[in-house]
Amino acid sequence: MAKVFCIANQKGGVGKTTTAVNLAAGMAMVGQRVLLIDLDPQGNATMGCGIDKRTIQNNVYQVLVGLASAKESIVRAEESGFDVLPANRDLAGAEVEMVEFESRELKLREAIAEVKDQYDFILIDCPPALSLLTLNALCCANGVVIPMQCEYYALEGLSDLVNTIKQVCKNLNPNLTIIGLLRVMFDPRMTLSQQVSEQLEKHFGNKVFQTIIPRNIRLAEAPSYGIPGVLFDTKSKGAKAYIDFATEMVERVGLPATA
Ligand code: ATP
Ligand code: MG
């Protein structure tokens, strides 16, 4: 049975999608069966692993509102080595439509139940908001990975996210834990980065992943080729860091019982 993790941070542009796509590819490289769910109407994760969001038949929107099953909406990202439940701008309408639904925060959990035994890991790329979509991700996850840039405002936003996770844990999903904080787009030459990084370690101890993802142009270039960074330029510093991170992540959470 798959372990489910969401990649969340309500701040925009902090490396959620880059982390989700490269973690999925890194896990697939070591033989894990991975499903990546794109839960963002921007569809960046979808495009980033080589699926054209404009031509897909079904996407996660149809799944959430009950027009299609997860099984019939999942597509294979052949070059990336894993499956994807894609998204596009259709998804922007889901939040409004779902307001009328009963148990609207559980729609994703219900929808993926039928495919959970086909994967070792399911990763969910969240949108940059603490919205109903993110709540759906938090309600079906075993844990949360929080990518963050080491800058002052990053810490401010973190407490809102941690509080939301605590609330969800208390009221909706008692299994939910923070797996770890991942320092991304790190620039060791900046004193502020070092300081924030040290503060994070002080406050969150071993919840902070040891692996640090450097700022690396190859990671930023990869999406335009529709290939995860870890496969686009395997020798780049960014690719190596994400492979180390995938290994650290698997060590931290363990393999699913059936694997
Ligand atoms: P959004 O909140 O809009 O969904 P996000 O949190 O998913 O954004 P990404 O899309 O992963 O963030 O990254 C934002 C931008 O930074 C992208 O252009 C991406 O290519 C670039 N980027 C991400 N990680 C790195 C890195 N380690 N080095 C260099 N560029 C990076
Ligand atoms: Mg994103």
Side-chain angles (χ1 to χ4, degrees):
M1 191 64 87
K3 291 189 174 182
V4 184
F5 300 106
C6 57
I7 321 300
N9 188 332
Q10 76 278 21
K11 268 178 81 72
V14 294
K16 292 180 288 295
T17 302
T18 306
T19 298
V21 168
N22 284 292
L23 180 58
M27 286 174 153
M29 280 164 87
V30 292
Q32 302 302 306
R33 298 169 303 164
V34 180
L35 169 66
L36 174 62
I37 300 177
D38 189 351
L39 207 56
D40 185 346
Q42 295 181 102
N44 293 342
T46 301
M47 297 295 276
C49 48
I51 291 157
D52 190 340
K53 65 181 176 185
R54 295 157 299 196
T55 57
I56 42 177
Q57 260 215 320
N58 293 324
N59 65 71
V60 70
Y61 162 76
Q62 277 88 5
V63 175
L64 286 173
V65 302
L67 292 172
S69 69
K71 217 174 244 173
E72 63 191 340
S73 308
I74 288 170
V75 288
R76 180 81 184 160
E78 209 51 67
E79 279 191 66
S80 301
F82 51 85
D83 285 355
V84 180
L85 180 51
N88 61 24
R89 67 205 312 184
D90 288 354
L91 186 57
E95 302 232 16
V96 180
E97 285 181 49
M98 285 163 72
V99 166
E100 313 239 304
F101 294 5
E102 228 170 273
S103 310
R104 54 186 173 269
E105 69 282 355
L106 301 180
K107 292 298 154 203
L108 187 63
R109 178 153 95 189
E110 290 164 8
I112 63 169
E114 62 163 1
V115 297
K116 270 180 94 172
D117 61 348
Q118 291 166 30
Y119 299 99
D120 300 309
F121 293 100
I122 297 178
L123 304 175
I124 308 170
D125 182 29
C126 291
L130 292 175
S131 58
L132 181 57
L133 289 172
T134 299
L135 190 58
N136 263 271
L138 294 175
C139 283
C140 68
N142 301 100
V144 190
V145 172
I146 307 173
M148 52 187 303
Q149 285 178 267
C150 290
E151 57 186 31
Y152 175 71
Y153 289 125
L155 291 173
E156 221 179 44
L158 193 57
S159 54
D160 290 339
L161 180 57
V162 170
N163 283 334
T164 302
I165 292 167
K166 279 188 189 153
Q167 287 297 324
V168 172
C169 187
K170 202 167 127 202
N171 301 312
L172 295 162
N173 178 8
N175 299 323
L176 189 68
T177 55
I178 295 178
I179 306 298
L181 304 170
L182 177 67
R183 292 163 284 182
V184 298
M185 293 190 234
F186 193 78
D187 184 350
R189 291 165 304 181
M190 279 176 60
T191 314
L192 180 64
S193 297
Q194 298 281 8
Q195 284 171 347
V196 173
S197 176
E198 280 163 22
Q199 260 184 321
L200 277 179
E201 283 174 345
K202 206 165 125 205
H203 285 285
F204 293 93
N206 59 11
K207 282 283 175 198
V208 181
F209 287 106
Q210 275 177 9
T211 310
I212 297 179
I213 311 295
R215 190 172 281 283
N216 178 256
I217 188 68
R218 303 300 270 168
L219 290 173
E221 287 169 349
S224 63
Y225 296 88
I227 308 170
V230 292
L231 298 170
F232 175 62
D233 182 355
T234 46
K235 292 198 171 63
S236 67
K237 278 193 179 149
K240 284 185 178 151
Y242 268 117
I243 287 169
D244 288 349
F245 170 58
T247 310
E248 188 181 355
M249 177 77 185
V250 172
E251 275 169 13
R252 188 170 284 207
V253 301
L255 293 173
T258 52

